[in-house]
């Protein structure tokens, strides 16, 4: 049975550490691992737009000796024209791994259930676990550790919030989330993340107060207020999220050496001020680069796990 990576808690604390350690190794020796030598092909499917995920998977697969096959769903039979299960059965016979950015988490689960090769979630409506591997790698590099640090996420209770809670819990972080009323993260994810955090000496808390949540934070993170697929709610969301911008005033409540993360794309002046995003505490370009190293490590680890 192949291993899959569909959500942040699909891996244990030990496995997460193994992947992050390998990512650091690959960052210094980018061409040292060739799990896809042949070259074998890896399918990377997009139902939503992307810059970072598209580039980092294409480059990463090539670095690992493989051939990336980028598929935009509009130009394939996916998306209602052919079932996910039938697509999985066709792909598994020809590709080494399947990477998919889509809407419903259930679609990814169906793909995985029907595939003998690993399936990787490249963002769904519910989670963005590849992004969190890159974020944890970035925190590790800048802070020298993970467990025990306080990470505050201010913004929408969306896929990024869910992934910060789950991956943070696996890593033993103290994760605090602040959202406007009505935009809190999914209760089941909060409960699951709290349970994992407890076992790892971490914690998860959710509130509607950005100033309280950010108090003493080592790491401050945010994300767009309008995720892909929510464009029609834009004006309503801008109103609801007023007061939730990561700006210099809010950063004043975090530790003075706190680092700032944003998965990008960013909307300066909305979820984050230009001053903070482009300022000295921001590590966003390292974070964006680390998508490459973290995902390469993930693909190597999945290739090895399947043997
Ligand atoms: N952060 C992220 O996933 O960026 P893209 O949407 O550009 O892939
Ligand atoms: N929450 C955002 C993340 C983009 C990388 C979205 O889903 O659009």
């Amino acid at each position: 049975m192949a291993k899959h990576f569909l959500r942040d808690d699909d891996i244990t604390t030990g496995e997460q550490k193994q992947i992050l350690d390998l990512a650091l190794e690959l960052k210094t020796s980018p061409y040292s691992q060739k799990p896809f030598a042949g070259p074998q092909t890896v399918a990377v499917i997009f139902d939503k737009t992307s810059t970072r995920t598209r580039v980092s998977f294409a480059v990463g697969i090539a670095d690992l000796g493989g051939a990336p096959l980028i598929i935009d769903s509009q130009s394939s039979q996916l998306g209602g024209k052919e079932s996910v299960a039938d697509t999985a059965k066709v792909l598994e016979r020809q590709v080494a791994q399947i990477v998919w950015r889509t809407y419903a988490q259930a679609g990814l689960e169906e793909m995985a259930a029907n595939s003998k090769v690993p399936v990787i979630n490249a963002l769904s409506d519910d989670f963005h676990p590849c992004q969190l591997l890159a974020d944890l790698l970035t925190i590790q590099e800048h802070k020298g550790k993970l467990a025990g640090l306080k990470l505050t996420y201010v913004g929408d209770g969306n896929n990024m919030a869910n992934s910060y809670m789950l991956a943070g819990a696996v890593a033993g972080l103290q994760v605090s989330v602040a959202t406007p009323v009505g935009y809190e993260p999914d209760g089941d994810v909060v409960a699951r993340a709290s349970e994992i955090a407890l076992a790892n000496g971490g914690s998860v808390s959710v509130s509607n107060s950005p100033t309280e949540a950010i108090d003493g934070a080592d790491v401050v993170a945010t994300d767009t207020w309008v995720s892909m697929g929510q464009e029609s709610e834009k004006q309503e969301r801008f109103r609801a999220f007023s007061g939730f911008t990561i700006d210099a005033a809010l950063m004043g409540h975090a530790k003075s050496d706190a680092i700032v993360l944003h998965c990008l794309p960013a909307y300066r002046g909305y979820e984050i001020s230009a001053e903070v995003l482009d300022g000295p505490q921001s590590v966003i370009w390292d974070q964006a680069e680390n998508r490459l190293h973290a995902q390469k490590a993930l693909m190597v680890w999945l290739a090895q796990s399947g043997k």
Side-chain angles (χ1 to χ4, degrees):
M1 274 259 294
K3 267 201 197 302
H4 306 288
F5 188 57
L6 307 185
R7 38 187 283 165
D8 309 85
D9 56 345
D10 280 346
I11 52 175
T12 64
T13 304
E15 290 168 341
Q16 187 189 65
K17 185 176 181 319
Q18 222 181 318
I19 294 167
L20 295 175
D21 287 348
L22 182 56
L24 273 177
E25 269 173 53
L26 287 166
K27 194 164 179 172
T28 42
S29 308
Y31 312 110
S32 56
Q33 299 263 359
K34 299 285 176 195
F36 302 137
Q40 293 175 40
T41 298
V42 175
V44 191
I45 311 165
F46 289 95
D47 294 352
K48 296 176 176 173
T49 52
S50 164
T51 297
R52 275 146 294 272
T53 307
R54 184 180 296 255
V55 173
S56 55
F57 270 108
V59 172
I61 292 159
D63 284 0
L64 298 177
L69 174 63
I70 309 286
I71 304 168
D72 281 310
S73 60
Q74 312 92 283
S75 58
S76 77
Q77 307 293 9
L78 258 174
K81 292 163 275 179
E82 185 169 19
S83 75
V84 172
D86 287 359
T87 304
K89 287 176 196 154
V90 171
L91 291 180
E92 68 169 7
R93 292 182 178 218
Q94 301 183 55
V95 305
Q97 297 186 7
I98 299 166
V99 181
W100 190 16
R101 166 168 288 193
T102 189
Y103 293 86
Q105 186 70 15
L108 280 157
E109 280 160 18
E110 193 182 345
M111 185 77 88
N114 287 281
S115 169
K116 291 192 192 72
V117 300
V119 175
I120 297 174
N121 178 0
L123 180 146
S124 66
D125 289 345
D126 292 343
F127 304 104
H128 197 0
C130 290
Q131 180 68 55
L132 257 291
L133 289 177
D135 288 23
L136 293 178
L137 182 62
T138 310
I139 299 168
Q140 174 75 45
E141 284 181 317
H142 284 270
K143 293 284 170 196
K145 63 172 190 172
L146 294 174
L149 292 176
K150 177 172 179 179
L151 181 148
T152 299
Y153 171 89
V154 176
D156 190 15
N158 61 10
N159 44 11
M160 284 302 299
N162 286 343
S163 279
Y164 275 118
M165 290 189 296
L166 279 184
V170 173
L173 295 173
Q174 325 249 303
V175 184
S176 66
V177 172
T179 74
V181 173
Y183 293 90
E184 293 86 356
D186 180 81
D188 289 343
V189 178
V190 178
R192 176 77 187 125
S194 304
E195 194 179 281
I196 298 169
L198 196 64
N200 291 321
S203 62
V204 174
S205 65
V206 178
S207 80
N208 302 117
S209 167
T211 45
E212 276 171 35
I214 208 169
D215 185 50
D218 300 286
V219 182
V220 176
T222 189
D223 180 27
T224 179
W225 293 339
V226 187
S227 285
M228 290 179 271
Q230 298 173 335
E231 291 77 7
S232 65
E233 301 170 23
K234 201 170 180 172
Q235 292 314 322
E236 176 188 335
R237 283 175 166 268
F238 284 171
R239 275 194 296 277
F241 283 81
S242 164
F244 282 75
T245 303
I246 305 278
D247 54 16
L250 195 54
M251 283 303 295
H253 296 267
K255 282 200 183 137
S256 57
D257 64 349
I259 55 170
V260 175
L261 298 174
H262 191 310
C263 68
L264 305 175
Y267 301 90
R268 288 172 177 78
Y270 293 93
E271 73 273 8
I272 190 162
S273 70
E275 187 188 9
V276 172
L277 192 71
D278 302 315
Q281 289 174 279
S282 168
V283 294
I284 57 158
W285 306 119
D286 290 344
Q287 182 188 2
E289 178 192 331
N290 281 337
R291 291 292 301 276
L292 172 65
H293 312 300
Q295 287 159 193
K296 282 170 70 179
L298 173 69
M299 289 187 282
V300 170
W301 183 79
L302 286 171
Q304 284 168 353
S305 308
K307 283 188 182 143

